Amino acid sequence: MNRVFTLFSVFLLSLLPIRPALAENLDVLMSNVFNNGQPTYIGYESVEREDIPVSAPVDRKYLIVDFRFPSSADDEQLQASVHKVCMALLKNRDLIRTLSDSGYDMVSVAFDRRSQFDCM
């Protein structure tokens, strides 16, 4: 019993460095996607759909990367911004690998509270 507890504790402790590294890498990357006067990076949210069975072929765990425009954006500006964020994510292979290893099935980008755009 004590051996099982020790192994479980070591396993849990080994997971701790993954979370801060992922958060730090994602925050740094997203904070540098746009210049001044363009959308501002707000943060990200991890969402896990408990109502979807693990065995389902539907995305269960995903990340929402959140930005805000200083003023209303037109469709062309919005589309270009989604593309820019998604390409920044996709080009960072280490981050993609870390997200995948952490169980994320999808990453979405949001510029308001009503809409999300899937990157992958």
Side-chain angles (χ1 to χ4, degrees), residues 27 29-44 65-71 73 77 81 85 109-112:
D27 284 339
L29 178 66
M30 293 295 100
S31 293
N32 294 317
V33 171
F34 296 104
N35 298 324
N36 293 337
Q38 294 187 15
T40 302
Y41 173 65
I42 303 297
Y44 68 91
V65 182
D66 203 12
F67 290 84
R68 291 294 180 271
F69 281 100
S71 60
Q77 185 181 16
S81 298
V85 171
V109 60
F111 290 93
D112 59 37

Side-chain angles (χ1 to χ4, degrees), residues 1-12:
M1 174 80 175
N2 196 16
R3 178 177 158 85
V4 171
F5 178 76
T6 302
L7 289 173
F8 184 69
S9 297
V10 169
F11 172 74
L12 287 178

